[in-house]
């Protein structure tokens, strides 16, 4: 974050794999302006995938109640975040904004659960579609490819399975490699909402 901490600025730019804030630190809430952020929990000293946040989502809202972050936030792709505060708003508006942020977080959790069920190819397609902004007003079919390890942990697949799946999607013409680690998506999930998870093989 250009040598600055999240508490020192109202807008931050983070690169792929860079940390926005760490669990246990004090700080403020942030709204995702551009990109996608991964949220992780600390469990017995190990990192455990906890969720995703994309454009419009608020992360770190728990600091308004607890004073500290309960998750570690890491940029899944180059991202921009702006400080999110409701301190100056009337009480009724503050409550509405907080409830709205919590409701969005619940919907996002349902999206994440849909990424972890079904066959391997379906999981990877859904994730890349999610990163492209499916369900948003202006989805972008070109996305920055996350690290294989991140894709594996988010979709609950093995790294080897993810690698084979991406190669197959490329061979089938469903994705096309672009410069700067980007890929262009050529399938329906790039423009549609994340579908409900359907029964299928685990793909692991």
């Amino acid at each position: 974050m250009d040598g600055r901490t999240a508490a020192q600025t109202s807008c931050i730019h983070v690169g792929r794999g860079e940390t926005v804030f760490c669990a246990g630190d004090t700080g403020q809430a942030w709204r995702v302006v551009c990109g996608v952020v991964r949220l992780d929990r600390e469990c017995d000293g190990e990192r455990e995938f906890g969720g995703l946040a994309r454009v419009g989502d608020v992360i770190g809202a728990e600091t308004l109640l607890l004073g500290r972050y309960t998750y570690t936030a890491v940029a899944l792709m180059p991202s921009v975040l702006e400080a999110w505060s409701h301190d100056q708003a009337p009480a009724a508006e503050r409550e509405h904004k907080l409830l709205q942020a919590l409701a969005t977080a619940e919907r996002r959790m349902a999206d994440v659960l849909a990424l972890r069920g079904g066959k391997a190819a379906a999981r990877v397609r859904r994730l890349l579609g999610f990163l492209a902004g499916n369900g948003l007003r202006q989805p972008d079919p070109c996305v920055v490819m996350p690290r294989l390890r991140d894709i594996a942990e988010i979709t609950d697949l093995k790294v080897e399975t993810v690698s084979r799946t991406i190669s197959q999607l490329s061979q089938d013409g469903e994705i096309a490699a672009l410069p700067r680690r980007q890929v262009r998506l050529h399938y329906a999930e790039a423009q549609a909402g994340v579908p409900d998870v359907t029964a299928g093989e685990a793909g692991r």
Side-chain angles (χ1 to χ4, degrees), residues 10-34:
S10 60
C11 184
I12 54 177
H13 296 251
V14 288
R16 186 183 76 155
E18 292 186 359
T19 300
V20 181
F21 54 73
C22 295
D25 288 351
T26 58
Q28 62 191 58
W30 297 89
R31 188 177 73 87
V32 181
V33 177
C34 174

Side-chain angles (χ1 to χ4, degrees), residues 159-177:
V159 173
E160 295 81 2
T161 302
V162 170
S163 180
R164 288 196 303 269
T165 301
I166 290 175
S167 295
Q168 189 62 54
L169 292 176
S170 180
Q171 291 175 18
D172 293 343
E174 296 193 56
I175 62 175

Side-chain angles (χ1 to χ4, degrees), residues 42-47:
E42 296 294 327
C43 184
D44 296 328
E46 295 186 1
R47 187 181 71 169

Side-chain angles (χ1 to χ4, degrees), residues 91-101:
E93 184 178 341
R94 291 201 303 270
E95 182 178 354
H96 175 72
K97 289 179 66 176
L98 184 55
L99 289 175
Q100 197 171 41

